[in-house]
Amino acid sequence: MESKYFKDLPPGLSEAEGAARRKRQQHAEWGIAVAAMGGTTPSEAALTELQRYIDGELSLEELARLGHPPRPETRVFEATANRERITQMA
């Protein structure tokens, strides 16, 4: 899945891992959009942390903790975590 923010998925992933990464990337893209609606664009540091989440290096809980204490530049982490939680409830 192409993204202006994130690296392409590496070749050779299992179907399950590819699906999990695409889902995490979609949630991260959604988080960026939500933060942008509030007037905040993601910093390079935030994009790096979101890429780590997409790659499976950070758990959802670890990503969510990056947003505390809440600051405008960390809204993207909270929005991404909330999107994942909403998806899990469906």
Side-chain angles (χ1 to χ4, degrees):
M1 172 162 137
E2 279 191 41
S3 170
K4 73 180 208 176
Y5 298 108
F6 305 115
K7 298 184 287 186
D8 291 339
L9 298 180
L13 295 176
S14 70
E15 189 174 322
E17 180 57 22
R21 282 178 179 236
R22 281 188 294 278
K23 182 177 103 173
R24 290 190 296 263
Q25 182 174 324
Q26 288 170 344
H27 294 166
E29 296 270 1
W30 190 86
I32 289 170
V34 168
M37 286 189 304
T40 304
T41 57
S43 66
E44 285 300 316
L47 291 174
T48 297
E49 296 304 328
L50 288 169
Q51 185 66 57
R52 290 182 62 217
Y53 168 67
I54 292 166
D55 292 341
E57 296 172 15
L58 286 178
S59 70
L60 180 65
E61 293 76 23
E62 291 168 324
L63 182 71
R65 280 195 299 268
L66 293 175
H68 292 284
R71 300 179 311 276
E73 64 271 17
T74 62
R75 286 183 187 143
V76 65
F77 301 135
E78 181 183 358
T80 300
N82 286 340
R83 179 64 177 160
E84 173 63 26
R85 291 180 186 119
I86 289 167
T87 301
Q88 290 175 358
M89 293 189 320

